[in-house]
Amino acid sequence: MTKIVADIGGTNMRIAQTHGVNNISEIRKYKVTDYASPVATIQAYLNDTGCAQPTHVCLAIACPVSGDQITMTNHSWSFSIKESQKELGVEALHVINDFTAIALSVPFLADDQKVQLGGETVVSGKPIAVYGAGTGLGVAHVVPVSGKWIPLPGEGGHVDFATNNDEEAQVLKFLANELGHVSAERIISGQGIANIYRALAHINDAEIKALEPSEITEKAIKGECKLCKRTLDMFCETMGSFGGNLALNLLTQGGVYIAGGIVPRFIDYVKQSGFRQRFESKGRFEKLNKSIPVYIVTEEQPGLLGAAAYIAQN
């Protein structure tokens, strides 16, 4: 019985065979602009790998998933789940949001697929929080129900950004004048790094250089720019506060996981930053948050693993 999983982004579609939870093989990457639909891409994968006709397929896709018709946000693909299932000739075609897939992967990660940032050990069978800084800020929770892990997707990245000191209040004021509503995503994301940099430059009457978020990060890590370092420090600190809030929302004693493409690039920097202190700094609930472990997901294909977990549980 062949089962296929795929992780579809605005640029690439990664496809693999799944043999159970945390067990995938024959990973291939295809440019979405080269194919007319996910079905056409999967058919190309089947031809390339010579694998048997699949019985089950799960697509993790970077767009909202509601109803039968799926329309991508950052690409032209729009398709019907039912029609795609018929075209592929499979027993089941599941379509889930890409961050839902990432969230669903975390209960099954092995020790070598994550790095711990403080806290104690996880409490078995307790809720888990997942958030990921990338192009935006993805947020989800995962809860155990009747022997299965059920993802609870949401749009937590768009809640109001909450300040913790005068400097952050000044950054908020600067960005509010520019943007109106300042969500957490405006701070804790790739663009958030650039937003913090511009705001701090303005506040300190410093030159605002045309730097990409990756350049700001690199200069901060190398110690080449004080303003860049303060920017990355604030990014880590606010990320810690936000993660601590997520931990309190559902008492996530199963752990808090950081996914996404940004943070795994500078794990050592996060470790020595104010991240953990801000995660724990919750007043009367500081003791609780001190016990909750945080992990950075280092697995390169969490979306595929999450899609595999979804098939295994359904």
Side-chain angles (χ1 to χ4, degrees):
M1 183 183 296
T2 302
K3 299 179 180 180
I4 298 294
V5 291
D7 186 3
I8 307 172
T11 303
N12 296 307
M13 177 171 175
R14 292 172 173 81
I15 308 175
Q17 297 177 45
T18 174
H19 316 282
V21 174
N22 211 354
N23 189 353
I24 57 176
S25 65
E26 289 285 355
I27 301 172
R28 303 288 179 93
K29 182 172 71 173
Y30 297 84
K31 287 186 177 180
V32 294
T33 51
D34 290 344
Y35 299 91
S37 66
V39 170
T41 316
I42 290 172
Q43 289 170 338
Y45 173 85
L46 297 177
N47 289 332
D48 291 345
T49 59
C51 79
Q53 168 67 21
T55 57
H56 297 71
V57 173
C58 183
L59 308 179
I61 190 165
C63 67
V65 177
S66 178
D68 178 66
Q69 192 67 29
I70 304 298
T71 300
M72 291 191 69
T73 306
N74 296 315
H75 184 55
S76 59
W77 282 354
S78 183
F79 60 94
S80 160
I81 298 174
K82 291 180 180 178
E83 290 302 317
S84 297
Q85 181 180 348
K86 289 179 182 178
E87 288 183 61
L88 286 170
V90 296
E91 294 177 20
L93 172 60
H94 306 286
V95 181
I96 60 177
N97 174 263
D98 61 335
F99 200 79
T100 298
I102 290 172
L104 191 53
S105 76
V106 299
F108 305 103
L109 294 177
D111 288 343
D112 62 354
Q113 294 169 306
K114 58 189 179 184
V115 173
Q116 187 167 353
L117 297 179
E120 299 172 8
T121 58
V122 300
V123 179
S124 179
K126 293 296 184 179
I128 291 170
V130 189
Y131 66 123
T135 303
L137 177 60
V139 176
H141 287 82
V142 191
V143 297
V145 178
S146 301
K148 294 184 178 181
W149 285 99
I150 307 300
L152 304 176
E155 291 295 344
H158 297 282
V159 302
D160 296 343
F161 169 62
T163 64
N164 279 264
N165 54 49
D166 289 342
E167 185 181 43
E168 289 174 7
Q170 291 180 70
V171 169
L172 173 61
K173 182 179 180 180
F174 173 83
L175 293 177
N177 287 335
E178 246 186 30
L179 305 169
H181 178 250
V182 182
S183 65
E185 181 176 274
R186 298 293 197 177
I187 302 292
I188 310 167
S189 63
Q191 185 56 47
I193 291 174
N195 287 341
I196 296 170
Y197 173 81
R198 286 186 298 100
L200 289 177
H202 173 80
I203 293 165
N204 292 283
D205 295 321
E207 178 186 358
I208 302 176
K209 297 180 180 179
L211 297 176
E212 293 295 322
S214 59
E215 294 175 303
I216 296 169
T217 300
E218 182 179 0
K219 288 180 178 295
I221 293 170
K222 291 182 177 179
E224 296 176 352
C225 169
K226 289 183 178 179
L227 185 61
C228 293
K229 185 179 187 310
R230 184 63 206 123
T231 296
L232 195 58
D233 285 345
M234 183 175 289
F235 173 85
C236 293
E237 291 158 10
T238 53
M239 186 171 63
S241 289
F242 188 79
N245 291 344
L246 293 181
L248 292 175
N249 285 340
L250 288 185
L251 296 181
T252 58
Q253 293 171 307
V256 174
Y257 287 74
I258 302 171
I262 294 178
V263 180
R265 300 173 187 171
F266 48 90
I267 294 174
D268 289 341
Y269 195 96
V270 178
K271 285 182 176 180
Q272 59 81 41
S273 74
F275 171 89
R276 186 71 209 190
Q277 184 273 327
R278 288 281 291 267
F279 179 89
E280 297 173 358
S281 183
K282 297 300 176 186
R284 291 170 292 171
F285 280 82
E286 182 172 333
K287 184 177 180 180
L288 172 66
N289 270 26
K290 276 182 176 293
S291 70
I292 294 177
V294 176
Y295 298 92
I296 296 177
V297 176
T298 55
E299 163 59 40
E300 293 183 358
Q301 303 295 345
L304 291 177
L305 292 183
Y310 189 92
I311 286 182
Q313 294 190 139
N314 289 275

